[in-house]
Amino acid sequence: TIMEVNAAQGTSDLVTGMSTVRFGGTLRVQNTGGTFSGSAAFKLFNAATYQGEFKTLDLPQLPQGFFWDQSTLATDGTLRITESKPAFASPELQGNSLVLSGTGGVPGAEFVLRTSTNAANPILYWPIVSTNTFDASGSFSLTNAIDPAIQQLFYRIQTSGW
């Protein structure tokens, strides 16, 4: 299935008039004009019921810090662009280590982990403790040794422009 979107105008092809749409095969989306910026939504399919999923998605490249969110494609036929905002999941203790994990990063993009004993310190004074890369789904997992001499430690994920 080949669908066209126009980044400049925020418009897209729309398949409508179906009671049920069954996804499968490849969805190829082509941009016919403009540059993607900010959040956007492109309604590609309009049906009462959505079934299946595309096996392959061939989507236009987006600017750094944004990603295609296809989570609502199978529920309302809409493909969205959202800004990447990494977030921590609940930390886990493993022996003498703290495991920090989370989601929401740009797949393949670099990030740094910063720490501070005082959350009120300006971010520039938080030392970088590691540089890493988000995995293919935008997730991350980091293991850090616990120093029993430090009673509290704050963590921050920072992307681009460190």
Side-chain angles (χ1 to χ4, degrees):
T1 304
I2 299 173
M3 303 293 281
E4 293 180 341
V5 300
N6 186 297
Q9 298 175 357
T11 59
S12 66
D13 288 343
L14 176 64
V15 178
T16 189
M18 302 174 288
S19 58
T20 301
V21 62
R22 290 180 180 84
F23 298 134
T26 299
L27 173 62
R28 178 171 290 126
V29 176
Q30 299 173 336
N31 182 19
T32 60
T35 302
F36 295 104
S37 62
S39 299
F42 299 98
K43 178 87 168 165
L44 302 177
F45 303 94
N46 189 20
T49 306
Y50 301 86
Q51 295 179 348
E53 63 183 42
F54 287 103
K55 301 300 179 211
T56 305
L57 293 173
D58 182 5
L59 306 173
Q61 187 167 345
L62 296 175
Q64 181 73 18
F66 294 88
F67 68 98
W68 288 105
D69 178 0
Q70 65 252 9
S71 64
T72 58
L73 192 58
T75 59
D76 69 7
T78 304
L79 189 60
R80 290 180 164 73
I81 298 173
T82 59
E83 187 173 359
S84 177
K85 295 180 182 176
F88 288 106
S90 295
E92 295 179 35
L93 285 175
Q94 291 183 357
N96 291 330
S97 296
L98 179 66
V99 178
L100 301 171
S101 60
T103 59
V106 175
E110 283 192 347
F111 68 92
V112 296
L113 178 68
R114 291 181 178 261
T115 62
S116 178
T117 56
N118 182 351
N121 284 342
I123 190 65
L124 292 174
Y125 297 115
W126 290 40
I128 295 173
V129 294
S130 67
T131 301
N132 296 280
T133 304
F134 294 107
D135 70 14
S137 66
S139 298
F140 63 93
S141 182
L142 308 163
T143 302
N144 300 285
I146 296 172
D147 182 348
I150 299 175
Q151 293 187 3
Q152 69 179 10
L153 193 59
F154 299 92
Y155 291 90
R156 180 180 179 131
I157 293 283
Q158 189 173 358
T159 59
S160 68
W162 312 328

